């Protein structure tokens, strides 16, 4: 179907949470100013994406754009298969740069032996632990690098990947 929505996870948090939920995190209510501000003030902070259904082969990598102001430099991305469950054996670690600057992290999901078949959900743990005062500005979690990185000189990044941005160009 030509009008079927793209099932791949492409979420830009410039104005809203995009149906993601959080646990053990404090945030301010939307609308946001270009990113989702997360205060990591409790143990095991996580953000969980909306339910979906895509083929692992169609999303071999995920791109996370964030600015970490944390004492820890370890983060994790989890994936759920058709069973819908997250578990320690379905995760990949990533090293983040906790300097407060915006960075885009590429996570090769296809490198994980259990990442195959149908995938239904993602979970992002922005840090492994908890330290008072840690914060993360989460800009996007996307299956395409172009979604995660705004075009040069583009101040307004449209959160709807199917509509044109302010220059009239399609984001796909």
């Amino acid at each position: 179907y030509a009008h079927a929505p793209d099932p791949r996870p492409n979420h830009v948090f410039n104005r809203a949470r995009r149906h993601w939920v959080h646990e053990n995190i404090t945030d301010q209510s939307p609308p946001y100013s270009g990113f989702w501000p997360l205060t990591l003030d409790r143990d095991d902070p996580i953000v969980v994406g909306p339910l979906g259904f895509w083929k692992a082969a169609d999303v071999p990598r995920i791109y996370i754009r964030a600015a970490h102001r944390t004492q820890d430099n370890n983060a994790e991305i989890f994936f759920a298969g058709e069973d819908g469950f997250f578990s320690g054996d379905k995760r990949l670690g990533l090293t983040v740069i906790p300097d407060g600057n915006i960075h885009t992290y590429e996570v090769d999901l296809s490198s994980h032996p259990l990442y195959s078949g149908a995938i239904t959900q993602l979970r992002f743990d922005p840090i492994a632990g908890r330290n008072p005062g840690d914060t993360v500005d989460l800009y996007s979690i996307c299956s395409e690098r172009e979604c995660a990185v705004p075009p040069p000189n583009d101040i307004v990044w449209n959160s709807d990947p199917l509509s044109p941005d302010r220059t009239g160009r399609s984001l796909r």
Side-chain angles (χ1 to χ4, degrees):
Y1 295 94
H3 299 290
D6 186 350
R8 297 174 301 166
N10 287 309
H11 304 278
V12 179
F13 305 109
N14 66 338
R15 292 188 204 120
R17 294 184 191 116
R18 310 285 295 158
H19 304 287
W20 285 67
V21 296
H22 60 82
E23 292 181 27
N24 302 323
I25 289 175
T26 303
D27 77 337
Q28 65 184 35
S29 296
Y32 303 130
S33 298
F35 56 86
W36 183 6
L38 307 173
T39 301
L40 314 177
D41 53 359
R42 289 176 267 173
D43 289 329
D44 196 23
I46 66 172
V47 292
V48 179
L51 288 172
F53 193 88
W54 63 91
K55 295 177 186 174
D58 292 342
V59 183
R61 290 172 189 76
I62 201 81
Y63 299 89
I64 300 168
R65 186 163 171 81
H68 283 72
R69 283 175 300 288
T70 60
Q71 297 175 47
D72 191 354
N73 68 342
N74 296 304
E76 295 176 313
I77 188 91
F78 290 74
F79 58 90
E82 288 185 61
D83 64 1
F85 293 108
F86 296 113
S87 65
D89 62 339
K90 293 188 281 186
R91 69 174 174 190
L92 289 123
L94 64 141
T95 301
V96 298
I97 303 167
D99 62 3
N101 294 315
I102 303 167
H103 299 279
T104 300
Y105 303 98
E106 179 180 334
V107 182
D108 184 2
L109 298 171
S110 68
S111 69
H112 195 288
L114 297 178
Y115 188 76
S116 64
I119 305 300
T120 59
Q121 201 169 25
L122 295 174
R123 173 181 135 186
F124 176 54
D125 293 18
I127 59 169
R130 172 182 68 101
N131 295 298
D134 282 357
T135 63
V136 172
D137 296 337
L138 186 57
Y139 288 80
S140 60
I141 297 177
C142 296
S143 65
E144 299 173 335
R145 185 168 180 78
E146 295 77 25
C147 171
V149 180
N153 303 317
D154 216 357
I155 296 169
V156 177
W157 182 247
N158 195 317
S159 65
D160 182 354
L162 300 177
S163 67
D165 66 8
R166 67 180 174 88
T167 63
R169 293 172 294 160
S170 173
L171 298 180
R172 291 205 191 267

